[in-house]
Amino acid sequence: MLDLKAFEKQMIPLAYEEAAENELKEIIRRNKQELGEKLVLLAHHYQKDEIVKFADEVGDSLELAKKVSDYKKAETIVFCGVHFMAETADILSRERQRVLLPDTAAGCSMADMVSTEQLKVAWNKLMLQFGDDVLPVTYINSSAEVKAFVGFHGGVTVTSGNAEKVVSWVLEQKKRILFLPDQHLGRNTAFHLGVPLEQMAVWNSVNEEIDFEGDKSQVRVILWDGYCSVHQQFTPLQVDRMRKLFPQLQVFVHPECRKEVVDLADGFGSTAKLIRLAREAGSGARLAIGTDNNLVGRLQKEMAAKGVHIHFLNPMACACVTMNRIDLPHLAWILDELIEGRVQNQITINEETMKWAKVALDRMLEMK
Ligand code: 13P
Ligand code: SF4
């Protein structure tokens, strides 16, 4: 979980903040060259263009999680993404590899919507209500501690790239599932697997009870009340308006969007799947994409050259501010420090948390 003290640690020397873009790029290029195979730079698809250009691998959460151990010679993984992604990289990395996050204040507001304290309360109440009939599943967008809790209780992690596979496995193991922390990914996935909305309930983390009117024994999917503030900005009205303007439009969205938006879309999926869908569109196609605008902006440029017109589903939406905390000054600074033998912003997880979080992650990665 993101440490608030992390904000204080983010005072990188002013010289980096004030340096010209070309100067920063030159520092990064030079340091990367000097560190060679000892360094690997991983970047999530939501990173800014200037960061993506320096990445050895760019991917969605699932792809990046799988890539980590491929870099056998790397001693340092610099993760350009958010805190839970760097934690996941640390859990899955090889011994003696370290993971650095250029700005430790790059958290994920959704991941912070569930703490282990809240989860323990919920779990105890659910056990009293349903007995040993519930299996927990956590979206990879969660802290290492939450992943460990889930792993310890027989559960598994899930990403937007494998949600249907993982959730159907869970529903085969136990009668009920507790899906953390993104209610939208949980609802969209369970619905597409055939679970009716009447069998889903939201866990209200403020009142500490299930929001459900009726016979609670009918509930199969319990959704934590978390959400992504970036993806919740997309609405059915935006889809309708866009379709009125462009009747041939195809709409693709991330499953962190509300179900009402996903229902109106022509396709939905992880960031990697959204890229695939866009690249498969033929010349002359017109698409609207609902996800973070760094990625949509890159796709717009790439696909314009192939005659595909891409719109951002909501041009007024706010970007993921924490993803955008990773910038050239922080990247240049962390690499300069590394060259000087000073390891900054290392992500470390205690042994017990590491052990159980890895159990939850391995269960997911071993799923065929
Ligand atoms: P992906 O796993 O689809 O890349 O999504 C991660 C994320 O944080 C989306 O908001
Ligand atoms: Fe978290 Fe949403 Fe940002 Fe993804 S887009 S990292 S879920 S806040």
Side-chain angles (χ1 to χ4, degrees):
M1 172 111 9
L2 179 64
D3 175 3
L4 283 181
K5 286 200 186 116
F7 283 96
E8 289 161 23
K9 283 199 243 150
Q10 294 317 305
M11 305 299 287
I12 64 171
L14 207 58
Y16 288 94
E17 301 285 9
E18 290 175 346
E21 194 174 313
N22 280 348
E23 210 182 315
L24 294 167
K25 285 182 176 166
E26 181 48 29
I27 295 174
I28 297 167
R29 197 199 54 73
R30 199 181 54 231
N31 288 340
K32 272 200 79 186
Q33 196 172 26
E34 192 171 331
L35 289 162
E37 287 186 309
K38 287 187 191 159
L39 170 76
V40 60
L41 214 147
L42 304 180
H44 184 262
H45 287 306
Y46 290 166
Q47 290 292 295
K48 302 171 199 277
D49 291 4
E50 60 266 34
I51 298 294
V52 164
K53 282 201 179 105
F54 285 111
D56 298 299
E57 296 283 350
V58 187
D60 70 5
S61 306
L62 180 60
E63 290 168 336
L64 293 174
K66 286 179 174 169
K67 278 282 167 213
V68 172
S69 59
D70 286 359
Y71 287 86
K72 298 186 178 71
K73 291 185 185 156
E75 290 166 8
T76 306
I77 298 160
V78 171
F79 205 108
C80 297
V82 289
H83 198 266
F84 74 81
M85 294 180 179
E87 280 190 334
T88 305
D90 190 45
I91 297 163
L92 298 175
S93 61
R94 295 167 178 269
E95 246 180 87
R96 291 197 305 275
Q97 284 181 325
R98 58 188 167 217
V99 177
L100 313 185
L101 183 62
D103 183 342
T104 51
C108 163
S109 52
M110 177 210 282
D112 290 344
M113 286 179 191
V114 56
S115 67
T116 36
E117 291 70 29
Q118 290 172 306
L119 184 49
K120 277 178 199 156
V121 172
W123 188 251
N124 290 338
K125 287 199 174 178
L126 291 173
M127 290 297 101
L128 281 176
Q129 183 129 40
F130 298 119
D132 183 28
D133 235 357
V134 191
L135 202 61
V137 182
T138 188
Y139 192 17
I140 203 160
N141 297 33
S142 55
S143 67
E145 288 84 4
V146 167
K147 289 186 181 79
F149 184 97
V150 167
F152 182 80
H153 288 91
V156 60
T157 58
V158 63
T159 79
S160 53
N162 60 16
E164 294 202 5
K165 183 167 63 180
V166 174
V167 171
S168 42
W169 176 82
V170 174
L171 288 170
E172 278 163 24
Q173 314 302 307
K174 289 267 170 104
K175 204 167 161 188
R176 296 174 230 278
I177 166 174
L178 169 63
F179 194 100
L180 305 150
D182 184 18
Q183 57 173 296
H184 300 301
L185 178 64
R187 187 178 292 111
N188 286 320
T189 307
F191 187 78
H192 278 87
L193 288 171
V195 180
L197 289 179
E198 301 75 55
Q199 292 181 4
M200 299 188 210
V202 173
W203 174 262
N204 186 321
S205 58
V206 176
N207 296 345
E208 299 181 337
E209 61 185 18
I210 290 180
D211 280 338
F212 191 76
E213 279 167 25
D215 178 5
K216 289 197 173 85
S217 69
Q218 297 307 305
V219 174
R220 283 178 70 203
V221 176
I222 303 146
L223 304 161
W224 196 263
D225 56 0
Y227 58 87
C228 165
S229 46
V230 176
H231 288 89
Q232 271 213 171
Q233 295 176 89
F234 299 107
T235 64
L237 191 64
Q238 291 157 5
V239 180
D240 289 345
R241 279 192 185 142
M242 203 69 107
R243 284 201 197 280
K244 278 200 184 95
L245 282 172
F246 308 108
Q248 304 302 322
L249 185 82
Q250 284 178 278
V251 178
F252 300 133
V253 299
H254 196 278
E256 287 174 15
C257 294
R258 301 165 206 268
K259 180 177 173 296
E260 297 85 324
V261 175
V262 171
D263 286 350
L264 289 175
D266 300 289
F268 69 96
S270 69
T271 49
K273 182 165 174 196
L274 295 175
I275 294 169
R276 206 164 56 243
L277 288 170
R279 286 181 180 156
E280 282 166 7
S283 176
R286 191 176 282 278
L287 318 177
I289 302 186
T291 195
D292 182 74
N293 56 6
N294 281 335
L295 172 57
V296 180
R298 258 194 311 280
L299 280 173
Q300 260 169 349
K301 282 180 236 156
E302 177 192 324
M303 296 309 291
K306 296 175 185 153
V308 177
H309 200 99
I310 296 187
H311 298 266
F312 189 39
L313 183 57
N314 173 12
M316 310 306 284
C318 298
C320 178
V321 283
T322 48
M323 279 279 179
N324 281 297
R325 290 191 72 99
I326 310 296
D327 53 13
L328 291 176
H330 282 84
L331 186 54
W333 165 75
I334 209 161
L335 294 181
D336 264 355
E337 291 288 293
L338 197 58
I339 292 272
E340 293 300 323
R342 291 188 291 269
V343 176
Q344 301 279 5
N345 292 1
Q346 183 170 356
I347 301 300
T348 47
I349 298 163
N350 75 52
E351 233 176 85
E352 187 67 5
T353 302
M354 175 83 94
K355 174 177 147 193
W356 289 107
K358 190 165 178 344
V359 167
L361 283 161
D362 284 345
R363 275 192 192 117
M364 171 185 82
L365 293 170
E366 282 157 16
M367 240 174 245
K368 294 285 172 260

